[in-house]
Amino acid sequence: MATTTELPATSVGEYDFVIVGGGTAGSVIASRLSEYLPQKKVLLIEAGPSDYMDDRVLLLKDWLSLLGGELDYDYGTTEQPMGNSHIRHSRAKVLGGCSSHNTLISFRPFEYDCRRWEEQGCTGWSFKTFTRVIDNLRNTIQPVHERHRNQLCRDWVESCSTALDIPVTHDFNHTIRKEGALKQTVGFFSVAYNPDDGRRSSASVAYLHPILRGAEKRSNLTILTNAWVSKVNVQGDKVTGVNLKLQNGEERVLTAKAETILCAGAVDTPRLMLLSGLGPQQQLKDLGIEVVKDIPGVGENLLDHPETIIIWELNKPVPPKQTTMDSDAGIFLRREAPNAAGSDGDIADIMMHCYQIPFCLNTSRFVTETTLLIDRANITADSATTLPSMPSA
């Protein structure tokens, strides 16, 4: 099976399920639906190209080169009155979505968070359910392999453990599964990758590539790439399908027999809904968008993981070619007093990465400049600067 960029006009109404977005969620749903319902026809729509056999995407250690490139929507935040106005919010434009684009560091959720989510109405999001689902993931998730652990990271882990008198954890996910959370600890991350060749174990690699290479037969699945969905169509209280533009510029209006499933990510799913008139009524009116359905909350309440960046000067280059993706280790700490959130005990509430590259994209806008020295492809910071707190996506 191969992906396609073509969709005949005669086929716009023949699909039972239309999935918008071939990213992390879309890849899994397309694979599972087409497996569980072999008599139903499934169409997966991805705005970007395929990642199959594309080492620009698949080689995890090269992830940084994807940022701001042709496979990145590279969204930026709008001007903010209190500062932090230049945050890059990368969103991938390629099969596999952000799992084809990010560092693939992977953690199981804490039991406390699952309980809190259920209390707020997310029925079925229990720790027990998450444990079962994650145990059945196809992705190969494991701690950074010993041969990829460079001495800088090893020394950092040991120093953190000694200085703060906290234990070294050898498998964060194993501990979370067994104990329900992490307390103060440090160690190497678990990453979704193949340590034998350094390639990603992304959603597309795990769930779509077996189909694309013919190891799994799915005659009922069509994977359409380089196709842009511009509108969700609604009739009464029911979504009937979507408007689509193909790579060659031709347009289609698709109708799903059973369901239209939006999997365009945390940014583009609400963006698509808002542009389709599905969202807070007043906001839509203010923007001149016809209100199709007043749905408060669409486009609101995104929670990301802001980071405070500190850059250190090194007295020698980072060991070359000995890493998974230049952020191989991390530390978990507790900032708040025990049970500050009610019943959270003393579980970790902050995480720090040990990056082995200078993150100065955003900091270059500050008065203090950071000069980079490039020496045999090893990059080190020329000034030891503790930078202001600045969230970065």
Side-chain angles (χ1 to χ4, degrees), residues 251-300:
E251 297 183 353
R252 303 280 187 266
V253 178
L254 301 182
T255 302
K257 293 180 181 179
E259 292 184 27
T260 301
I261 304 170
L262 301 186
C263 295
V267 173
D268 284 309
T269 291
R271 179 199 57 78
L272 176 59
M273 291 179 67
L274 291 167
L275 290 174
S276 302
L278 307 171
Q281 180 174 280
Q282 193 57 52
Q283 288 188 24
L284 296 175
K285 287 182 177 179
D286 291 345
L287 294 169
I289 298 174
E290 180 184 354
V291 179
V292 175
K293 196 75 176 176
D294 179 18
I295 311 177
V298 174
E300 303 288 337

Side-chain angles (χ1 to χ4, degrees), residues 88-102:
R88 162 174 278 171
H89 201 113
S90 288
R91 298 280 94 186
K93 188 179 182 180
V94 63
L95 201 63
C98 288
S99 72
S100 289
H101 205 263
N102 60 24

Side-chain angles (χ1 to χ4, degrees), residues 32-41 218-221:
R32 291 280 169 83
L33 269 179
S34 59
E35 177 186 8
Y36 296 161
L37 303 172
Q39 304 306 315
K40 302 294 184 180
K41 299 192 70 173
R218 300 290 170 80
S219 58
N220 61 327
L221 174 64

Side-chain angles (χ1 to χ4, degrees), residues 168-187:
V168 175
T169 295
H170 298 287
D171 187 335
F172 291 128
N173 281 322
H174 175 77
T175 300
I176 298 171
R177 190 187 191 284
K178 180 181 178 182
E179 300 179 10
L182 294 173
K183 296 189 177 182
Q184 295 201 133
T185 185
V186 65

